[in-house]
Amino acid sequence: MAPNTKLLDEVSAYYSRKITEHGDTPRGVDWNSEAGQVHRFEQLCRILPNEGAYLIHDIGCGYGALYDFLAARRDDFFYRGIDVSQAMLDAAAGRLAHAPNVELLADVSDGCIADYSVASGIFNVRLDQSDADWREYIVRTLEQMAATSRKGFAFNCLTSYSDADHMRPDLYYADPCWLFDLCKRRFSRNVALLHDYDLYEFTMLVRT
């Protein structure tokens, strides 16, 4: 299935504006706080092993904050950051220029395989895309993550169980039950849905 280039261009432009306005900070990738960003990383990284080296794809890597999170805890990993926004990649390159275990890419090409892939926040900001088009984008991205991850992948989404009076029309609130069923049926029998932490979202862990 060919990518929706208009959708990706709009997402790229949105996040390029954010990083230009706020710099390499959580607000630069559209998060409210560093504490919330770290809390999300903690959930996503439950897909990773406690020991042993691994190669990880950070899909929608932004300025590379996940690398900092991982490097503060261990050093036996290789980090490949992927982002459609060149401004984000430039920010990450500036920050991680001296890290020996980093590669930054605009896309995951054929044969570009990792042990694990994670995606934080890339399914949230749909702008003016329809529900159907955004769901198609999510499914296509998950298919790519599954195809390029040897051992598993993890992602998060805003939850459809959010309080209605706090929901925004430019954001996408996913049905965790629908995505759990999709992942179980299409990708693996080993799927965990994490919906017990204090944010209006959920995290899915898919072990392949």
Side-chain angles (χ1 to χ4, degrees), residues 22-63:
H22 299 289
D24 52 357
T25 68
R27 288 184 61 80
V29 288
D30 217 23
W31 294 125
N32 291 329
S33 69
E34 182 177 358
Q37 185 182 54
V38 168
H39 200 21
R40 292 176 177 94
F41 290 162
E42 290 171 344
Q43 308 308 313
L44 290 165
C45 288
R46 291 172 65 172
I47 194 70
L48 301 175
N50 292 325
E51 56 184 28
Y54 58 84
L55 190 160
I56 184 171
H57 283 170
D58 182 8
I59 311 298
C61 65
Y63 60 87

Short mmCIF file of all heavy atoms in Angstrom, two decimals, residues 22-63:
data_model
loop_
_atom_site.label_atom_id
_atom_site.label_comp_id
_atom_site.label_asym_id
_atom_site.label_seq_id
_atom_site.Cartn_x
_atom_site.Cartn_y
_atom_site.Cartn_z
N HIS A 22 9.63 25.60 19.93
CA HIS A 22 9.94 25.26 21.31
C HIS A 22 11.33 24.64 21.50
O HIS A 22 11.74 24.43 22.65
CB HIS A 22 8.89 24.29 21.87
CG HIS A 22 7.50 24.86 21.89
ND1 HIS A 22 7.12 25.86 22.76
CD2 HIS A 22 6.40 24.56 21.13
CE1 HIS A 22 5.84 26.15 22.56
NE2 HIS A 22 5.39 25.39 21.58
N GLY A 23 12.02 24.32 20.41
CA GLY A 23 13.34 23.73 20.53
C GLY A 23 13.29 22.28 20.99
O GLY A 23 12.23 21.65 21.01
N ASP A 24 14.48 21.75 21.36
CA ASP A 24 14.55 20.34 21.73
C ASP A 24 14.14 20.15 23.18
O ASP A 24 14.95 19.88 24.07
CB ASP A 24 15.94 19.77 21.45
CG ASP A 24 17.06 20.60 22.05
OD1 ASP A 24 16.77 21.66 22.64
OD2 ASP A 24 18.22 20.18 21.94
N THR A 25 12.84 20.28 23.39
CA THR A 25 12.18 20.11 24.69
C THR A 25 10.95 19.25 24.48
O THR A 25 10.50 19.05 23.34
CB THR A 25 11.74 21.48 25.27
OG1 THR A 25 10.69 22.01 24.44
CG2 THR A 25 12.90 22.47 25.30
N PRO A 26 10.35 18.74 25.56
CA PRO A 26 9.10 17.98 25.38
C PRO A 26 8.03 18.75 24.60
O PRO A 26 7.30 18.16 23.79
CB PRO A 26 8.67 17.68 26.82
CG PRO A 26 9.97 17.57 27.56
CD PRO A 26 10.85 18.64 26.93
N ARG A 27 7.92 20.05 24.82
CA ARG A 27 6.94 20.84 24.07
C ARG A 27 7.28 20.89 22.59
O ARG A 27 6.40 21.07 21.74
CB ARG A 27 6.83 22.25 24.65
CG ARG A 27 6.13 22.28 26.00
CD ARG A 27 5.94 23.71 26.50
NE ARG A 27 5.12 24.51 25.61
CZ ARG A 27 3.80 24.48 25.57
NH1 ARG A 27 3.13 23.67 26.38
NH2 ARG A 27 3.12 25.25 24.74
N GLY A 28 8.56 20.73 22.27
CA GLY A 28 8.97 20.70 20.87
C GLY A 28 8.49 19.48 20.12
O GLY A 28 8.49 19.47 18.89
N VAL A 29 8.09 18.44 20.85
CA VAL A 29 7.48 17.26 20.23
C VAL A 29 6.03 17.11 20.69
O VAL A 29 5.44 16.02 20.62
CB VAL A 29 8.29 15.98 20.53
CG1 VAL A 29 9.59 15.99 19.74
CG2 VAL A 29 8.58 15.82 22.02
N ASP A 30 5.46 18.19 21.19
CA ASP A 30 4.04 18.30 21.51
C ASP A 30 3.62 17.54 22.76
O ASP A 30 2.47 17.11 22.89
CB ASP A 30 3.17 17.85 20.33
CG ASP A 30 1.91 18.70 20.19
OD1 ASP A 30 1.92 19.84 20.70
OD2 ASP A 30 0.93 18.23 19.59
N TRP A 31 4.55 17.38 23.73
CA TRP A 31 4.18 16.86 25.03
C TRP A 31 4.14 18.01 26.02
O TRP A 31 4.86 18.99 25.90
CB TRP A 31 5.19 15.82 25.52
CG TRP A 31 5.25 14.55 24.73
CD1 TRP A 31 6.36 13.99 24.16
CD2 TRP A 31 4.17 13.66 24.42
NE1 TRP A 31 6.03 12.83 23.53
CE2 TRP A 31 4.70 12.60 23.67
CE3 TRP A 31 2.80 13.66 24.71
CZ2 TRP A 31 3.91 11.55 23.20
CZ3 TRP A 31 2.01 12.63 24.23
CH2 TRP A 31 2.56 11.58 23.49
N ASN A 32 3.31 17.86 27.05
CA ASN A 32 3.13 18.94 28.02
C ASN A 32 4.28 19.07 28.99
O ASN A 32 4.56 20.16 29.49
CB ASN A 32 1.83 18.73 28.81
CG ASN A 32 0.59 18.93 27.96
OD1 ASN A 32 0.62 19.73 27.02
ND2 ASN A 32 -0.47 18.22 28.26
N SER A 33 4.95 17.95 29.31
CA SER A 33 5.98 18.00 30.34
C SER A 33 6.99 16.89 30.15
O SER A 33 6.71 15.86 29.52
CB SER A 33 5.34 17.86 31.73
OG SER A 33 4.82 16.55 31.90
N GLU A 34 8.16 17.08 30.75
CA GLU A 34 9.18 16.04 30.72
C GLU A 34 8.74 14.83 31.53
O GLU A 34 9.01 13.69 31.16
CB GLU A 34 10.50 16.58 31.27
CG GLU A 34 11.63 15.56 31.22
CD GLU A 34 12.95 16.12 31.69
OE1 GLU A 34 13.00 17.33 32.02
OE2 GLU A 34 13.93 15.35 31.72
N ALA A 35 8.04 15.06 32.65
CA ALA A 35 7.57 13.95 33.49
C ALA A 35 6.65 13.03 32.70
O ALA A 35 6.75 11.80 32.79
CB ALA A 35 6.87 14.48 34.73
N GLY A 36 5.71 13.61 31.93
CA GLY A 36 4.82 12.80 31.13
C GLY A 36 5.57 12.06 30.04
O GLY A 36 5.26 10.89 29.74
N GLN A 37 6.54 12.71 29.43
CA GLN A 37 7.35 12.07 28.39
C GLN A 37 8.09 10.86 28.94
O GLN A 37 8.08 9.78 28.35
CB GLN A 37 8.33 13.09 27.82
CG GLN A 37 9.15 12.59 26.64
CD GLN A 37 10.13 13.64 26.18
OE1 GLN A 37 10.93 14.16 26.95
NE2 GLN A 37 10.09 13.98 24.90
N VAL A 38 8.71 11.02 30.10
CA VAL A 38 9.44 9.92 30.73
C VAL A 38 8.49 8.79 31.11
O VAL A 38 8.81 7.60 30.94
CB VAL A 38 10.23 10.42 31.95
CG1 VAL A 38 10.75 9.25 32.78
CG2 VAL A 38 11.37 11.33 31.52
N HIS A 39 7.32 9.15 31.61
CA HIS A 39 6.33 8.13 32.00
C HIS A 39 5.94 7.29 30.78
O HIS A 39 5.78 6.05 30.89
CB HIS A 39 5.12 8.81 32.60
CG HIS A 39 4.26 7.93 33.45
ND1 HIS A 39 4.71 6.76 34.02
CD2 HIS A 39 2.94 8.03 33.82
CE1 HIS A 39 3.74 6.19 34.70
NE2 HIS A 39 2.66 6.94 34.59
N ARG A 40 5.80 7.92 29.64
CA ARG A 40 5.47 7.18 28.41
C ARG A 40 6.63 6.26 28.02
O ARG A 40 6.41 5.11 27.61
CB ARG A 40 5.16 8.16 27.29
CG ARG A 40 3.88 8.93 27.51
CD ARG A 40 3.63 9.97 26.42
NE ARG A 40 2.36 10.63 26.65
CZ ARG A 40 2.22 11.77 27.33
NH1 ARG A 40 3.30 12.38 27.82
NH2 ARG A 40 1.03 12.30 27.53
N PHE A 41 7.85 6.76 28.11
CA PHE A 41 9.00 5.92 27.78
C PHE A 41 9.06 4.69 28.68
O PHE A 41 9.40 3.60 28.23
CB PHE A 41 10.30 6.72 27.92
CG PHE A 41 10.50 7.79 26.87
CD1 PHE A 41 11.42 8.81 27.10
CD2 PHE A 41 9.81 7.77 25.68
CE1 PHE A 41 11.63 9.79 26.15
CE2 PHE A 41 10.00 8.76 24.71
CZ PHE A 41 10.92 9.78 24.95
N GLU A 42 8.73 4.86 29.95
CA GLU A 42 8.76 3.74 30.88
C GLU A 42 7.80 2.64 30.44
O GLU A 42 8.12 1.45 30.55
CB GLU A 42 8.41 4.22 32.28
CG GLU A 42 9.49 5.07 32.93
CD GLU A 42 9.04 5.72 34.23
OE1 GLU A 42 7.81 5.77 34.48
OE2 GLU A 42 9.91 6.19 34.97
N GLN A 43 6.62 3.02 29.96
CA GLN A 43 5.64 2.03 29.50
C GLN A 43 6.13 1.36 28.22
O GLN A 43 6.10 0.12 28.11
CB GLN A 43 4.28 2.69 29.26
CG GLN A 43 3.75 3.51 30.41
CD GLN A 43 3.72 2.77 31.72
OE1 GLN A 43 3.28 1.62 31.79
NE2 GLN A 43 4.20 3.41 32.78
N LEU A 44 6.56 2.15 27.25
CA LEU A 44 6.99 1.60 25.96
C LEU A 44 8.18 0.66 26.12
O LEU A 44 8.26 -0.38 25.46
CB LEU A 44 7.37 2.74 25.01
CG LEU A 44 6.23 3.59 24.48
CD1 LEU A 44 6.77 4.89 23.88
CD2 LEU A 44 5.40 2.84 23.45
N CYS A 45 9.11 1.02 26.99
CA CYS A 45 10.35 0.25 27.11
C CYS A 45 10.17 -1.03 27.90
O CYS A 45 11.14 -1.80 28.06
CB CYS A 45 11.44 1.13 27.72
SG CYS A 45 12.02 2.40 26.55
N ARG A 46 8.98 -1.30 28.34
CA ARG A 46 8.70 -2.62 28.93
C ARG A 46 8.79 -3.72 27.87
O ARG A 46 8.86 -4.91 28.22
CB ARG A 46 7.33 -2.62 29.61
CG ARG A 46 7.32 -1.74 30.86
CD ARG A 46 5.94 -1.55 31.45
NE ARG A 46 5.37 -2.80 31.96
CZ ARG A 46 4.25 -2.89 32.65
NH1 ARG A 46 3.57 -1.78 32.93
NH2 ARG A 46 3.80 -4.04 33.08
N ILE A 47 8.81 -3.34 26.60
CA ILE A 47 9.01 -4.32 25.52
C ILE A 47 10.46 -4.79 25.46
O ILE A 47 10.75 -5.86 24.92
CB ILE A 47 8.59 -3.73 24.15
CG1 ILE A 47 8.46 -4.82 23.08
CG2 ILE A 47 9.57 -2.66 23.68
CD1 ILE A 47 7.31 -5.74 23.27
N LEU A 48 11.39 -4.02 26.02
CA LEU A 48 12.82 -4.30 25.89
C LEU A 48 13.31 -5.30 26.93
O LEU A 48 12.76 -5.37 28.04
CB LEU A 48 13.62 -2.99 26.02
CG LEU A 48 13.28 -1.90 25.00
CD1 LEU A 48 14.05 -0.63 25.32
CD2 LEU A 48 13.56 -2.38 23.58
N PRO A 49 14.36 -6.05 26.61
CA PRO A 49 14.89 -7.02 27.56
C PRO A 49 15.65 -6.33 28.69
O PRO A 49 16.18 -5.23 28.52
CB PRO A 49 15.82 -7.87 26.71
CG PRO A 49 16.30 -6.93 25.64
CD PRO A 49 15.11 -6.06 25.33
N ASN A 50 15.73 -6.98 29.82
CA ASN A 50 16.48 -6.44 30.95
C ASN A 50 17.98 -6.57 30.77
O ASN A 50 18.76 -5.86 31.41
CB ASN A 50 16.05 -7.14 32.24
CG ASN A 50 14.63 -6.81 32.63
OD1 ASN A 50 14.16 -5.70 32.43
ND2 ASN A 50 13.92 -7.79 33.18
N GLU A 51 18.41 -7.50 29.94
CA GLU A 51 19.84 -7.67 29.68
C GLU A 51 20.03 -8.16 28.26
O GLU A 51 19.11 -8.68 27.63
CB GLU A 51 20.45 -8.66 30.67
CG GLU A 51 19.79 -10.01 30.69
CD GLU A 51 20.36 -10.93 31.76
OE1 GLU A 51 20.85 -10.42 32.78
OE2 GLU A 51 20.33 -12.16 31.57
N GLY A 52 21.25 -7.96 27.75
CA GLY A 52 21.56 -8.35 26.39
C GLY A 52 21.42 -7.19 25.43
O GLY A 52 20.53 -6.35 25.57
N ALA A 53 22.30 -7.11 24.46
CA ALA A 53 22.31 -6.01 23.49
C ALA A 53 21.12 -6.11 22.54
O ALA A 53 20.59 -7.19 22.29
CB ALA A 53 23.61 -6.02 22.70
N TYR A 54 20.70 -4.98 22.03
CA TYR A 54 19.61 -4.95 21.06
C TYR A 54 19.74 -3.70 20.17
O TYR A 54 20.40 -2.73 20.53
CB TYR A 54 18.25 -4.94 21.75
CG TYR A 54 18.03 -3.78 22.70
CD1 TYR A 54 17.59 -2.55 22.24
CD2 TYR A 54 18.28 -3.93 24.07
CE1 TYR A 54 17.41 -1.48 23.11
CE2 TYR A 54 18.10 -2.87 24.94
CZ TYR A 54 17.66 -1.65 24.45
OH TYR A 54 17.49 -0.59 25.31
N LEU A 55 19.09 -3.78 19.03
CA LEU A 55 18.96 -2.63 18.12
C LEU A 55 17.51 -2.19 18.15
O LEU A 55 16.60 -3.01 17.99
CB LEU A 55 19.37 -3.02 16.70
CG LEU A 55 19.53 -1.90 15.66
CD1 LEU A 55 20.40 -2.39 14.50
CD2 LEU A 55 18.21 -1.39 15.10
N ILE A 56 17.29 -0.89 18.36
CA ILE A 56 15.93 -0.37 18.49
C ILE A 56 15.65 0.70 17.44
O ILE A 56 16.50 1.56 17.16
CB ILE A 56 15.68 0.20 19.91
CG1 ILE A 56 14.23 0.66 20.07
CG2 ILE A 56 16.67 1.31 20.25
CD1 ILE A 56 13.85 1.01 21.50
N HIS A 57 14.48 0.62 16.83
CA HIS A 57 13.95 1.69 15.97
C HIS A 57 13.06 2.59 16.82
O HIS A 57 12.11 2.10 17.45
CB HIS A 57 13.12 1.12 14.82
CG HIS A 57 13.92 0.55 13.71
ND1 HIS A 57 13.35 -0.19 12.69
CD2 HIS A 57 15.25 0.58 13.44
CE1 HIS A 57 14.28 -0.57 11.84
NE2 HIS A 57 15.45 -0.12 12.28
N ASP A 58 13.33 3.88 16.80
CA ASP A 58 12.47 4.87 17.46
C ASP A 58 11.70 5.60 16.36
O ASP A 58 12.23 6.50 15.71
CB ASP A 58 13.32 5.83 18.28
CG ASP A 58 12.50 6.87 19.04
OD1 ASP A 58 11.26 6.76 19.05
OD2 ASP A 58 13.11 7.79 19.62
N ILE A 59 10.47 5.16 16.12
CA ILE A 59 9.66 5.70 15.03
C ILE A 59 9.03 7.02 15.47
O ILE A 59 8.26 7.06 16.44
CB ILE A 59 8.54 4.70 14.62
CG1 ILE A 59 9.12 3.30 14.41
CG2 ILE A 59 7.83 5.21 13.36
CD1 ILE A 59 10.14 3.18 13.32
N GLY A 60 9.33 8.09 14.76
CA GLY A 60 8.93 9.42 15.21
C GLY A 60 9.84 9.87 16.34
O GLY A 60 9.37 10.25 17.41
N CYS A 61 11.13 9.81 16.09
CA CYS A 61 12.12 9.99 17.17
C CYS A 61 12.22 11.41 17.69
O CYS A 61 12.76 11.63 18.78
CB CYS A 61 13.50 9.53 16.69
SG CYS A 61 14.20 10.54 15.35
N GLY A 62 11.70 12.40 16.93
CA GLY A 62 11.83 13.77 17.39
C GLY A 62 13.28 14.16 17.55
O GLY A 62 14.13 13.86 16.70
N TYR A 63 13.61 14.80 18.66
CA TYR A 63 14.99 15.25 18.89
C TYR A 63 15.83 14.20 19.60
O TYR A 63 16.95 14.48 20.03
CB TYR A 63 15.00 16.57 19.66
CG TYR A 63 14.35 16.53 21.02
CD1 TYR A 63 15.06 16.17 22.16
CD2 TYR A 63 13.01 16.87 21.18
CE1 TYR A 63 14.47 16.13 23.41
CE2 TYR A 63 12.40 16.84 22.44
CZ TYR A 63 13.14 16.48 23.54
OH TYR A 63 12.55 16.43 24.78
#
